[in-house]
Amino acid sequence: MSKPIQLKRNLNRFIEIFLEGSPDIPQALYSTKQQAPDMSAITLPLPSKKSEYTCFAESRDGIVWYGATTGLTRYDPKAEYKQDQVQYFSAQRNLCDNNVKALWLETQTDEKDYEIIWVLTNEGVAKITMRWLTAEEKAEVLLAETLRVVDRRGMVSQRELSTPYRPDTAVPYNECDNDGCFGCGFAMAELMHYAVLKKTLGKNHPDTLRIKAVATRICEAMLLLLYIPGRGDGFPARTYLAPTEPIPGGGLFFRKRGDGTAEVVATRSTLTSGRAGEIVPCPNPVPARLAKLYEDEGYTEKGLVYKGDTSSDEVTLHVVHLYYLHLILGEDDPELDQLAIEAGRALVGHILDHGNELIDAFGQPTTWAKYSERYFEFGSLGWVDACLNSTELLMYLRVMMFIDPEQSRWQAAYDELLAKGYNKYGAKHAQRLDQMCLFLGNEPCEEIMYGDHMLATSAFWPLILLEPDEALKADYRAGYTSWRGSIGREYNAGYDMPYFLSCPDADIDWERLTRWFYRHPASRLAASVTIPDRHDMPTRVCRCTDEETGYLLTPDENHICKYDRNPNRLSHIEPNRTRLMESCYVYTFAYWFGRYYGMVE
C-alpha cells in the first residue's frame, strides 16, 4: 500500500416508511400516470426479470428508477463504479413489500445533494432519499443513531423497537448476550475517533471534547461489566439488567441482594440444573465512578441482575479494549486508567489462577472461555478451538505486560505458555478445521462460527503489534494467515485493515474495501433484504444443504448483522427484523481504525 485510501463523497440510502393514507404522502404519487418501461437497451444483469418491471421514473443525468413486481431498481449507466450502475431496493429494509405499483420523483435541488423517490407498494409507501455523504459524515450519522436509539446505560449492542421502522419507539430494555463483546468494539472505535480528532483539531476543540465524553462513557460501561459480579476474583459479566428490565427465559442470571450476596434467578436452564435460588457471595462493591451509570437512572446495586457463563468473546474484546483505553485515554484520565488496569489484573489473573480457564460461581469452567491444555486435548471441539484460544491467552498476557508492566507474573506466564508450544497452535487452524469438516462430511463455510473471525482478528493484531521478538511475530503471522481463507471471503474493512497492519506484506483488495465503505448502509435498522428471489443472484448448495449466494453482495443489499454472521448466507425474510436496531460499530470501528493507523484519509 503506497498511500492511504481516499474516500470520496458517495450516495447513501435513507428510508422512511408510511402507511397508506398518511398526510405526508404526496398526491402526485397516486395521480402520475404509470407505464411499463422499454428496457431493451439495458444489457447488464437486473435484479428482476425484464417482464416483471411495470413502471419507471426518470431522473436527471440519465438515472432511471424501475419498479417491478419483485422490487425496485435504480439504473445509473454513468456511475463511476460498475457495481453502482444497478442497485436493488427490496423489502423489508427499503420497501414495505416488493410489488411496486407506482413511482414519483420529488423535485431535486440545484445543489444535487440528494434525490428523493416515492414508492407505492401493496402494503404502504416508501420514501427513499439518496444523499451524498463523506465517509466521516456517515460515521457521524451512524454514531448519532446508535447513541439516540441503541444506547442503554452505555451498552450499545442492539435495541428492539415497539413499532416497525420507527427508531423513536425503542423499548427501554433489551439485553444482548454479548453486550461486553460488541460494546468493546464500539468503545475502541470512539477511542480511536477521539485520538484522531485530538490530533487533527486539538484537544480542546468542541468536537474533540464531545467524542471524548462519548468514548469515556462507553469505556465506563464496559469496565462496569468487569466489576459488577463483585466476586472479588475477576469474573466478568456478559451483561447486566436494571431491576425494572425483564429477564430472558433462559440463561444463567444472578440478582444482587444488597447484602454482599447474589441469588441465582429462576430461568429454564437454572430450574433444569437445580441452581435456581442458590446464593453466591459478591462482597466487593462496584466502584463509585462506574456505579453512576445506573445510579443516575435511579437504581442502586441492590436488585441489579448480571449474566454469567461469560465466554471468550467477551474476555477477548475486553482485554483489547483495556489496551486502547490505556493507550489513548490513560494519560487524560488516570482514575479511569487505574480502574482499567485493576480490572485487567483481576480478569487475566483469574484465568491464570484457575488453570487457564474462566471459572463460574460454582467452581466449573464456563462453556466457552477455556484456554487450558486439558481443554485442547478434550475431543474434537477443544482440538480445533486450541488454535484460537491459545492465541487469545497469549494476547491477554501481552496486553497486561503493556498496561501493567510492574507485575512480573505476566511475563512468567507468557514464557510458560511458549514452552508448551502455545505460539505454534495458531498456524494449525486451517488444517484442523478442514480435517474436522472431512470427518463431519460438510464444508468449512458450514462449520465456521463467524463470530470467531472477530475473535481471531482481535487476538492476533494486538499480539503481533506488541510482540518484540521477530521469531514469535513470524509464528503469530503464520497463525493469522491460516485464518485468511475464511476471514478474507468477507471483504470486510474491519477485518482486512487489522490484518494488513499486522502483516504489511499481505495482499489486500483496497479497491473492494473502498466500495465496502461506500455501500455500507447509513442506518443499522436490521430489516432483512430480499435475496433468494433475485433474478441476478446465482446460488450454491453446500454439502449439508446450506445455501449461499453466488457472490458477495454489497453491504446495503445484504443482511444487517454484527461481526458474527456469514455474509454469504441465503435466507428468506426473518420475522420482526424491522423492529431491531443494531450498533454502528461495524462501520465506525473500521473507519476510525483506518484513520487512526493512517490507512484511510
Side-chain angles (χ1 to χ4, degrees), residues 178 180-182 238 310-318 368-369 371 392 396 449 451-452 454-455 564:
N178 297 112
C181 174
F182 301 131
R238 272 185 175 270
T310 309
S311 74
S312 59
D313 299 32
E314 288 74 52
V315 176
T316 298
L317 270 295
H318 272 301
W368 298 112
Y371 316 90
E392 289 173 323
Y396 303 165
M449 176 66 177
D452 284 353
M454 177 177 60
L455 298 184
D564 65 347

Side-chain angles (χ1 to χ4, degrees), residues 1 4-5 7 135-136 139 184-197 199 317 320-321 323-324 327-328 454 456-465 480 484 492-504 508 510 513 516-517 563 584-601:
M1 184 181 183
I5 59 174
L7 299 177
E136 185 166 342
C184 284
F186 180 91
M188 286 189 284
E190 295 315 305
L191 284 167
M192 294 179 195
H193 187 179
Y194 165 61
V196 169
L197 296 188
K199 180 179 179 180
L317 270 295
V320 186
H321 165 242
Y323 167 64
Y324 282 100
L327 183 67
I328 295 172
M454 177 177 60
T457 298
S458 301
F460 279 108
W461 110 66
L463 179 59
I464 293 169
L465 285 186
Y480 205 173
R484 288 302 293 173
N492 186 316
Y495 290 147
D496 287 2
M497 289 194 296
Y499 181 60
F500 180 78
L501 180 68
S502 310
C503 306
I508 301 295
W510 293 101
L513 291 189
W516 184 91
F517 280 112
Y563 290 129
C584 67
Y585 87 101
V586 173
Y587 179 90
T588 55
F589 171 77
Y591 178 71
W592 291 112
F593 186 99
R595 290 286 302 275
Y596 182 74
Y597 284 108
M599 299 181 201
V600 173
E601 69 176 34

Side-chain angles (χ1 to χ4, degrees), residues 521-535:
S523 172
R524 295 292 296 173
L525 180 70
S528 296
V529 290
T530 302
I531 294 177
D533 299 327
R534 286 182 63 153
H535 181 58

Side-chain angles (χ1 to χ4, degrees), residues 147 151 154 156 183 186-187 213-223 321:
L147 294 177
D151 184 358
V156 287
F186 180 91
V214 170
T216 300
R217 180 170 177 273
I218 304 300
C219 289
E220 290 171 342
M222 294 302 98
L223 290 178
H321 165 242

Side-chain angles (χ1 to χ4, degrees), residues 9 59-61 106-116 132:
R9 296 172 79 227
S59 177
R60 62 182 168 206
D61 299 328
E106 194 169 298
T107 303
Q108 300 170 60
T109 63
D110 293 335
E111 292 81 8
K112 298 185 180 181
D113 282 339
Y114 60 87
E115 60 179 288
I116 297 174
W132 289 92

